[in-house]
Amino acid sequence: MTSHQTTQTMKPATAAKKLGVYLEATPAEFQKAEVSRAELNELQANPPAWLRELRANGPHPRPVVAAKLGVSIAGLARGGVTEPLTTEQIEALKKDSPEWLEKERATQAEVRKEAERIKNKKNTENTENTENTDND
């Protein structure tokens, strides 16, 4: 029995997500065709002009907008941001610093701080458990 290696492909939406770009802003040929793993790797290694332009100026998908603003995706929604934003729009939001953005950034900072505290606590517990096991 011989096994045949099939080319792994993904939908354009998945490829766009992995590339960190907004699918609807990509060229039509990208939106219509399945993308192989090799093609995705090539796009990441040698991005064409359209991909470089999208990454630099947008419009950016919500996860990228949230990361650039330092908030969660849910925080974007609470702030009323439901559409993709360009880099220029993101910079304007940062400059204007509306109340919702400040609040969401503070919330995100608290979430990160709590996650770090939990991680440190687990690491401490694991170290103590390892030391106790070594002493047995």
Side-chain angles (χ1 to χ4, degrees), residues 1-91:
M1 209 185 209
T2 60
S3 64
H4 295 280
Q5 187 80 18
T6 58
T7 303
Q8 183 182 10
T9 61
M10 61 194 82
K11 294 178 181 175
T14 303
K17 186 175 182 180
K18 289 181 180 286
L19 293 169
V21 295
Y22 182 57
L23 178 63
E24 284 76 13
T26 61
E29 58 272 8
F30 180 86
Q31 294 179 34
K32 294 176 184 171
E34 296 249 326
V35 179
S36 72
R37 176 66 59 187
E39 290 168 331
L40 178 71
N41 290 342
E42 180 61 25
L43 286 169
Q44 289 172 324
N46 300 306
W50 65 264
L51 182 54
R52 288 192 307 271
E53 175 69 20
L54 278 178
R55 285 179 169 169
N57 300 314
H60 302 288
R62 285 179 306 162
V64 174
V65 173
K68 287 179 178 277
L69 290 174
V71 300
S72 67
I73 293 172
L76 281 180
R78 286 190 293 270
V81 178
T82 57
E83 297 296 317
L85 299 179
T86 63
T87 300
E88 187 177 313
Q89 290 169 313
I90 292 168
E91 292 305 317

Side-chain angles (χ1 to χ4, degrees), residues 61-127:
R62 285 179 306 162
V64 174
V65 173
K68 287 179 178 277
L69 290 174
V71 300
S72 67
I73 293 172
L76 281 180
R78 286 190 293 270
V81 178
T82 57
E83 297 296 317
L85 299 179
T86 63
T87 300
E88 187 177 313
Q89 290 169 313
I90 292 168
E91 292 305 317
L93 261 177
K94 285 180 179 179
K95 185 179 176 192
D96 293 346
S97 198
E99 186 179 327
W100 72 265
L101 181 57
E102 292 302 316
K103 182 180 175 196
E104 292 301 333
R105 282 181 166 171
T107 300
Q108 191 70 5
E110 286 298 317
V111 168
R112 287 188 186 117
K113 196 163 103 177
E114 180 64 7
E116 185 68 24
R117 185 190 68 77
I118 291 168
K119 179 181 167 188
N120 289 337
K121 183 178 178 186
K122 284 182 181 178
N123 287 340
T124 301
E125 289 171 357
N126 288 340
T127 302

